Amino acid sequence: MPDFGAYQYEIYFDGLRGVVPRFPMAYEGWEAGAQAAMTPSVWSYVAGGAGDEHTQRANVAAFLRHALIPRMFVGAAQRDLSVSMFGLTLPSPLMMAPVGVLGLCCQDGHGDLAAARAAAQTGVPMIASTLSVDPMEQVAAEFGQTPGFYQLYTPTDRDLAASLVSRAEAAGFKGIVVTLDTWVTGWRPRDLSTSNFPQLRGHCLANYTSDPVFRAALAKTPEEDPGGAVLHWAGVFGNPLTWDDLPWLRSLSSLPLIVKGLCHPEDVRRARDGGVDGIYCSNHGGRQANGGLAALDALPEVVEAADGLPVIFDSGVRSGADVVKALALGASAVAVGRPYLYGLALGGLDGLVHVLRALLAETDLLMAVDGYPSLADLTPDALRGVAG
Ligand code: FNR
């Protein structure tokens, strides 16, 4: 069993040799450092959300309304954070949420590859976004022994969707995550005020421009006419799917199918009945719809409706304590978005690996101190409701 908490001894022992950590230890430092490292346009795209960003703040605040209660005489000297889902055994429940501008967040412009390498180093799976700087085959080639997942933004062109999914299967991805809440971009004042939309400037479209179906639909190649490729992309990007599309989505691959963006229990039940393999409870980190329920507040009902299907959770997770709370509310796995992105901006691969190791160490040490030695011990009884 990996000893995630031992990261703290590495840090303390380094200190004895006069070596102090290169990177901050907690979210506030990652965020501040990332802001300083990024260009203003990338920063506003990444840090911003929909409307006045109330939902984004609510996602974070929701964790403060749940408090962990410690248990004694447990002797949790070793913790087992492993989780089994989709036929895979993962060393921990932590995942990297799909993030479409990863490439741009890294100083060398190849953040997708850095995240894949971080997955290989830490065992934390990456869910690779459709919107990447490097094509999915090159991303998947960096995963090492860690399984990776491919996130599909379903285009209106069904043949293109099928091509993207079959490429993901061929590249060795272990599951397909279909994001349902982003067929149209939500109202994002920060980006609107600077007319900033990276994809329309041709960024992060490598999965499209490398795709044979996408290329066949163009009059000129993307290399000859980049603007034409962007226009075609804008025309096919977002598909407002309905339940009638689910059987088709299901038929695209025999890989596990996970649907992302579900917060209503009725949607979860229908998705389950439609044959999905996993539910991804998320409100896109508050980037898509403002005025919404904090994702954490939706989680218990989602878990109940999932009725045993694995539930991945994200939105607002900022610390190991948040990871533990989401697990106690029934998540099978917990993904982070902005925290790892900020690590990437701070220090490329090293910064990203540090953020993942810090989150894992805090999760593990909290389970040790609070006396919850395995994920099975983390039930709603580990939490008490408190005023936020
Ligand atoms: C995202 N997210 C996202 N989700 C997705 O399914 N595909 C994508 O390409 C992206 N792109 C993206 C870009 C940026 C800059 C951010 C911050 C987020 C949403 C992501 O997967 C996840 O749901 C949220 O990031 C989780 O919230 P936190 O952890 O950022 O609060």
Side-chain angles (χ1 to χ4, degrees):
M1 255 179 312
D3 185 357
F4 297 114
Y7 188 35
Q8 71 170 349
Y9 300 117
E10 257 181 56
I11 294 168
Y12 289 134
F13 281 113
D14 277 350
L16 298 180
R17 299 188 288 121
V19 179
V20 289
R22 265 176 78 196
F23 304 115
M25 287 298 144
Y27 182 77
E28 287 66 28
W30 304 333
E31 187 181 41
Q35 181 172 10
M38 285 169 161
T39 63
S41 65
V42 177
W43 167 254
S44 87
Y45 184 79
V46 166
D52 70 358
E53 302 178 358
H54 173 84
T55 303
Q56 190 169 318
R57 289 189 296 278
N59 281 340
V60 174
F63 284 91
L64 301 176
R65 284 186 274 102
H66 297 276
L68 287 156
I69 183 156
R71 303 301 302 268
M72 295 297 128
F73 280 124
V74 176
Q78 280 169 350
R79 283 76 55 196
D80 180 2
L81 273 68
S82 66
V83 51
S84 297
M85 53 181 193
F86 315 127
L88 303 164
T89 300
L90 305 170
S92 89
L94 192 65
M95 300 181 86
M96 284 182 265
V99 167
V101 290
L102 268 187
L104 305 184
C105 295
C106 194
Q107 299 297 330
D108 72 358
H110 294 281
D112 304 285
L113 299 180
R117 290 175 189 135
Q121 281 189 32
T122 59
V124 175
M126 173 187 185
I127 307 171
S129 170
T130 301
L131 295 169
S132 61
V133 167
D134 293 291
M136 64 174 101
E137 290 81 1
Q138 290 176 28
V139 174
E142 301 291 339
F143 284 150
Q145 298 305 309
T146 303
F149 294 79
Y150 177 72
Q151 177 263 325
L152 178 72
Y153 277 135
T154 314
T156 47
D157 176 347
R158 281 191 166 201
D159 292 339
L160 176 57
S163 176
L164 291 168
V165 170
S166 68
R167 283 172 59 195
E169 202 163 340
F173 286 90
K174 301 294 183 223
I176 305 292
V177 173
V178 177
T179 298
L180 297 168
D181 60 15
T182 312
W183 55 270
V184 62
T185 307
W187 180 254
R188 297 180 188 165
R190 283 205 218 195
D191 294 332
L192 289 161
S193 61
T194 52
S195 312
N196 176 37
F197 196 73
Q199 293 81 357
L200 287 179
R201 294 166 192 230
H203 295 301
C204 309
L205 300 183
N207 280 327
Y208 299 90
T209 53
S210 61
D211 191 276
V213 174
F214 185 86
R215 294 178 73 92
L218 301 174
K220 291 183 183 165
T221 68
E223 296 75 30
E224 290 162 352
D225 180 14
V230 170
L231 272 185
H232 183 63
W233 170 81
V236 298
F237 171 73
N239 189 339
L241 297 169
T242 72
W243 289 110
D244 293 339
D245 294 304
L246 182 53
W248 164 71
L249 272 178
R250 177 66 283 181
S251 74
L252 288 179
S253 167
S254 56
L255 286 176
L257 175 68
I258 301 135
V259 279
K260 178 170 186 271
L262 271 63
C263 292
H264 195 295
E266 191 50 40
D267 291 349
V268 175
R269 278 188 282 273
R270 270 190 96 163
R272 193 178 191 286
D273 291 347
V276 307
D277 301 285
I279 304 293
Y280 195 142
C281 175
S282 162
N283 62 21
H284 214 104
R287 296 171 66 74
Q288 277 297 90
N290 198 31
L293 189 67
L296 192 72
D297 290 332
L299 179 61
E301 282 187 67
V302 164
V303 169
E304 194 188 345
D307 197 19
L309 278 189
V311 175
I312 303 172
F313 172 82
D314 80 24
S315 295
V317 176
R318 299 291 177 260
S319 66
D322 294 347
V323 172
V324 175
K325 289 177 189 182
L327 293 169
L329 287 175
S332 319
V334 180
V336 283
R338 293 180 183 89
Y340 86 88
L341 230 157
Y342 293 161
L344 185 62
L346 270 176
L349 173 60
D350 291 348
L352 172 44
V353 167
H354 165 73
V355 165
L356 296 176
R357 292 191 71 192
L359 290 169
L360 286 168
E362 190 191 356
T363 302
D364 181 38
L365 292 169
L366 198 54
M367 289 169 66
V369 174
D370 276 353
Y372 296 99
S374 77
L375 302 194
D377 299 304
L378 285 170
T379 66
D381 188 49
L383 297 172
R384 295 292 180 270
V386 290

